[in-house]
Amino acid sequence: MENNIIISPSALACDFAYAADGIRKVYDAGAAYLHLDVMDGLFVPNLSFGPDFIRALRPHSKAVFDTHLMIVDPIRYIDAFVDAGSDIITVHYESCENVAEVLTYIRSKGIKAGLVIKPKTPVSVLRDFLPLVDMILLMSVEPGFGGQSFIPSSLDKLREARAMIDASGCSIDLEVDGGVTMSNIAAIREAGANVIVAGSAVFRAADPAAAVKALKGEQV
């Protein structure tokens, strides 16, 4: 059976001075997605990059650009991130005044829409939006900074989300982001995640191709 696990390395872990080379390297290693964390310093206590950085990277990678907006009132910037080359835009349940409106607008631009929740937000809030999403993202750390440890209760939330998706009959990917390591990846896959965000585990691996295979659960 074909492995349906997708690896989405976080661009925050790349060397920004050589970002184009880095993202080509991880794509060639088998990472089909590139995770792009956009932080505004308001919704989360950190700043990262905006659409200009994504636009600059776009010619250098064939990867699916998986753009995660950790920003206040994200509908204001959907057009800019679509124009920059995003293939998926994921927005936070907690940051939208009208979640359905934002998701519908993203899809109206011809790309995929995702919905993400923080660790303390219950999975149940996602239920009403399942027909409007292509991907659900569960944060397994508090968003804002890389290098945090995986919150163990995230496994239960992944199982709950996977059961909800399966029961809905909708075709929805389940993504996890935060603290993913080689020691917990098997449990994460078993809990139902099929899109895995990893940063240094791929970008800083001595053998990125081996790292991607290990994360996918394939023989190295």
Side-chain angles (χ1 to χ4, degrees), residues 78-94:
I78 299 303
D79 286 356
F81 286 101
V82 171
D83 293 344
S86 299
D87 298 294
I88 305 168
I89 293 180
T90 303
V91 295
H92 271 264
Y93 169 83
E94 305 90 352

Side-chain angles (χ1 to χ4, degrees), residues 90-205:
T90 303
V91 295
H92 271 264
Y93 169 83
E94 305 90 352
S95 75
C96 300
E97 291 186 7
N98 188 328
V99 174
E101 179 185 357
V102 179
L103 295 171
T104 301
Y105 187 70
I106 292 169
R107 281 181 150 187
S108 78
K109 309 304 285 188
I111 69 168
K112 292 184 175 181
L115 187 60
V116 54
I117 56 172
K118 294 181 179 182
K120 294 178 183 177
T121 302
V123 170
S124 58
V125 304
L126 301 168
R127 189 180 307 277
D128 290 343
F129 306 106
L130 295 182
L132 300 177
V133 299
D134 302 286
M135 185 162 70
I136 285 171
L137 168 55
L138 300 188
M139 293 301 301
S140 43
V141 299
E142 286 295 335
F145 294 92
Q148 300 181 69
S149 296
F150 184 86
I151 298 172
S153 60
S154 302
L155 292 174
D156 289 334
K157 293 185 73 174
L158 284 168
R159 293 186 190 99
E160 183 182 354
R162 173 50 63 193
M164 184 187 297
I165 291 168
D166 291 349
S168 75
C170 299
S171 178
I172 300 171
D173 286 317
L174 179 57
E175 184 173 36
V176 63
D177 181 4
V180 175
T181 65
M182 295 301 177
S183 62
N184 62 23
I185 184 59
I188 289 169
R189 292 194 307 263
E190 180 276 330
N194 72 294
V195 182
I196 311 296
V197 178
S200 56
V202 179
F203 272 105
R204 299 174 191 175

Side-chain angles (χ1 to χ4, degrees), residues 12 35-44 46 48 68-72 90-92 95 116 139 143-145 177:
L12 288 178
H35 193 76
L36 295 150
D37 286 307
V38 178
M39 297 182 275
D40 65 358
L42 295 173
F43 182 68
V44 293
N46 199 6
S48 59
H68 174 193
L69 299 185
M70 289 176 270
I71 64 178
V72 173
T90 303
V91 295
H92 271 264
S95 75
V116 54
M139 293 301 301
F145 294 92
D177 181 4

